Amino acid sequence: MAKIKPRVKVPGKATAGEAVTIKTLISHPMESGQRKDRKTGELIPRKIINKFVATYNGETAFSMDLEPAISANPYIEFSVKLAESGTMRFEWTDDDGSVYDIEKKIEVA
Amino acid sequence: MQMTRRDLFALAAGLAAAGLIRMPAHADEAKVEAAIKEFAGGMPETGGVELGAPEIAENGNTVPIEVAAAGATSIMILAAGNPNPGVGTFHFTAMSAESRASTRIRLAQTQDVVAVAKMADGSTKMARREVKVTIGGCGG
């Protein structure tokens, strides 16, 4: 299977108290558990990202519960307003327990 | 007119056929209602939730969806015509600039998409919108 790679689009600089749009994408098949293997006719077991959390300086800024009806390579867009400079940490949790993460620094003036 | 046994069979067969044809359209309506009630603790009133979705989605594998509701702490998305209605739930915090989020979802067929918002004061709101799907997602 292709390597699972998270990508986020975060502005490096922001103004305090103003809305900042965050875009995230992670390469993941989001196997729904409904699909059948064309050769064997057996169901392909479910394997999806079921949880996404964005924290800023350790505090939860946004989170999402995901079901199999979320498209492959889940895309999530949300917005935050920040009071101080810091690091935003993004975490995606897989059905198998693995956690994929990435961090971005934001300078707030 | 007297009803013969043959007429009765014909009538029963006709009714069964009509029922079978109509069934798949909203087979999961009970499941959808159960999911809404579990999340909202009752049936929410319609309005107060923005649900952005294309009128016609060519590819059901990836349909862009945007939801927003002023003052919402969480918004749940349901797809009424999928094998399972659950799609996802967004959770907002004090850091959210506004209670608005977008994602891409799978739709198996032409169906209603439902958004249910839970407000900070405990009230709930709902929006429903039909999306026509040219090529269904899931399966394959």
Side-chain angles (χ1 to χ4, degrees), chain A residues 31-37 43-46 68, chain B residues 82-84 138-140:
Chain A
E31 197 56 69
S32 69
Q34 305 265 357
R35 258 164 23 105
K36 276 186 183 150
D37 188 304
L43 277 180
I44 304 169
R46 171 184 143 151
Chain B
N82 274 1
N84 290 306
C138 319

Side-chain angles (χ1 to χ4, degrees), chain A residues 12-82:
Chain A
K13 284 180 185 162
T15 309
E18 265 183 36
V20 174
T21 302
I22 313 269
K23 294 175 180 178
T24 76
L25 189 69
I26 184 164
S27 54
H28 192 283
M30 292 294 279
E31 197 56 69
S32 69
Q34 305 265 357
R35 258 164 23 105
K36 276 186 183 150
D37 188 304
R38 284 217 176 121
K39 280 184 198 135
T40 63
E42 279 172 33
L43 277 180
I44 304 169
R46 171 184 143 151
K47 188 184 186 293
I48 68 162
I49 285 169
N50 56 50
K51 184 88 191 160
F52 167 76
V53 183
T55 54
Y56 190 67
N57 293 341
E59 226 178 293
T60 303
F62 175 86
S63 67
M64 182 185 181
D65 305 315
L66 293 84
E67 304 273 349
I70 297 290
S71 303
N73 307 326
Y75 169 80
I76 305 166
E77 184 184 326
F78 61 96
S79 64
V80 290
K81 46 177 198 267
L82 307 168

